[in-house]
Amino acid sequence: MRVFAIGATGVLGQRLVPLLVGRGHDVVAMAPGDRLERLPGGVRAVDADLLDPGVTDVLTGELAGVDVVVNAATAIPRDFGAPGAWERNTQLRRDGTVRVLNAVLAAGVPAVVQMSVTMAYADGGDAWLTEQAPFDPDPARGSIVEPVAAMEKAVVEIGGDRVAWSILRGARFVGAGTAQDAIRARLKEGTLHAHPDDRYTSLVHVADFATAVVAAVERRVSGVVLNIADEPLLVADYLGRLAEHDGAPAPGTSTEAVREVSHRVSSAAARELLDWQPKTGVLPDSESPL
C-alpha cells in the first residue's frame, strides 16, 4: 500500500517507517524540515508542519492516491510538570488532527490510523482498564486528557462510511529516546522514589507499538479503539527491576513523591483483532544509550 506517515521522525516514526518499508509498502513521510534527515533512504519526504494553518492544502495535494494515513504526530514532553510542557502537544492533537482529517476527506483517502494514549484514563486502582474505561475528569490532569478526548472525537466523527478509521491508544513508551531514559538516570542518581500508594503502570516498548501500527495498516480494522500495552506492572516492581538491570540503588518510597495514576491496561482486543503480541519487553534494550 501507499502509506502517508505524519510524525515519521519521532521516537515512534524512526521504528515505524523502516518497518513499513521492510514489508514492501511505499511510504511518504511528513515532518518539519529540520527533522527529515532522520528518515531512511528511499522514503520520499514532505517538509511541512501540522501547526502551519496552510498545511491542509499541502496535505490535500500530497494525499492523492494514498491508501492509508498514519498520524503519529505528538510532542510528549520529557518533563510532564514543566511550565508550558504540553502546549505543542495540545496544539498537534486539537488543531493538527483536524487539519489531517480535513485533508483526508478532501483527497478521498480510504483509511486513517490515529495514535492516541492510555494515560488519559482515570485512576483504575487494581481494576483492568479496557477501551470502555472513562477518561480522567480531574481538572489537574486536563492538559493531558482534554486534547486526547478532542483528538479522538474528531476521528470518530468522520464516520466509518467515509473513512475506515482506527485509534491505537498506546501505553507509556519505553525504549531508547523515551521518558524511560530520564527515569533510569534518576535511579542511578538515587533521586527517584515511588509513592507508597502507587499501584499499576502500563508500558509498551516503542518497537512493539510500531508493530501494532503496521498490523492496523495491513488489516484495515475499522471503527475501533484499541489499547496497546505490555503486561501491567506494579510501579515498585517496575522501578526495582529497572534499577537491578542498571546496577542502580534500589528505589525507596516517600510520601513526598508524586503518586502515579494507577493504570492496569488490558490489550485483549488488540491481541485478538490485530493478532498483536509485545515481543521486546519493557526493560532497556540494546538500543539504549545509558
Side-chain angles (χ1 to χ4, degrees):
M1 289 182 284
R2 192 170 192 217
V3 181
F4 193 92
I6 301 171
T9 58
V11 67
L12 169 62
Q14 291 181 67
R15 275 95 165 170
L16 175 61
V17 170
L19 197 55
L20 288 166
V21 171
R23 292 184 63 82
H25 300 297
D26 178 15
V27 181
V28 180
M30 184 185 112
D34 60 343
R35 301 179 185 177
L36 294 178
E37 62 185 21
R38 303 176 188 175
L39 292 172
V43 173
R44 190 169 77 80
V46 174
D47 180 357
D49 190 326
L50 278 186
L51 299 188
D52 179 352
V55 75
T56 300
D57 292 337
V58 175
L59 277 169
T60 301
E62 293 288 348
L63 293 182
V66 166
D67 296 301
V68 57
V69 168
V70 174
N71 186 10
T74 57
I76 302 295
R78 291 293 183 91
D79 182 355
F80 288 4
W86 291 93
E87 184 175 347
R88 179 174 174 83
N89 194 66
T90 295
Q91 291 177 325
L92 286 171
R93 285 181 169 156
R94 284 187 175 277
D95 303 330
T97 301
V98 170
R99 290 166 182 161
V100 170
L101 296 174
N102 286 341
V104 162
L105 293 172
V109 178
V112 171
V113 180
Q114 173 67 50
M115 307 305 104
S116 187
V117 290
T118 63
M119 71 172 68
Y121 288 134
D123 191 309
D126 290 348
W128 284 96
L129 301 179
T130 68
E131 293 79 1
Q132 288 70 49
F135 281 177
D136 199 334
D138 185 352
R141 298 188 68 231
S143 60
I144 296 174
V145 177
E146 291 172 8
V148 173
M151 173 184 69
E152 292 196 7
K153 183 174 183 288
V155 174
V156 171
E157 286 182 345
I158 64 175
D161 56 331
R162 292 186 290 176
V163 180
W165 60 265
S166 58
I167 297 172
L168 304 185
R169 289 180 183 156
R172 291 192 179 190
F173 281 175
V174 298
T178 71
Q180 189 181 60
D181 290 346
I183 293 173
R184 294 172 66 194
R186 290 185 62 195
L187 284 170
K188 288 184 176 182
E189 295 167 355
T191 60
L192 181 62
H193 304 284
H195 194 283
D197 294 334
D198 280 345
R199 294 302 295 157
Y200 283 93
T201 185
S202 286
L203 312 162
V204 65
H205 195 285
V206 66
D208 286 330
F209 189 86
T211 65
V213 176
V214 172
V217 166
E218 295 180 345
R219 290 175 177 252
R220 189 153 311 179
V221 292
S222 181
V224 296
V225 180
L226 298 173
N227 291 334
I228 308 296
D230 210 315
E231 288 300 314
L233 294 170
L234 292 170
V235 172
D237 289 347
Y238 169 59
L239 294 180
R241 289 168 60 182
L242 201 57
E244 182 180 5
H245 179 279
D246 284 345
T253 60
S254 171
T255 56
E256 299 298 318
V258 176
R259 184 181 175 277
E260 292 286 335
V261 178
S262 183
H263 286 162
R264 193 182 189 188
V265 173
S266 168
S267 297
R271 293 170 190 263
E272 179 179 352
L273 292 177
L274 301 181
D275 192 25
W276 174 80
Q277 294 285 343
K279 296 179 179 179
T280 308
V282 299
L283 292 180
D285 61 353
S286 59
E287 297 178 306
S288 182
L290 295 182

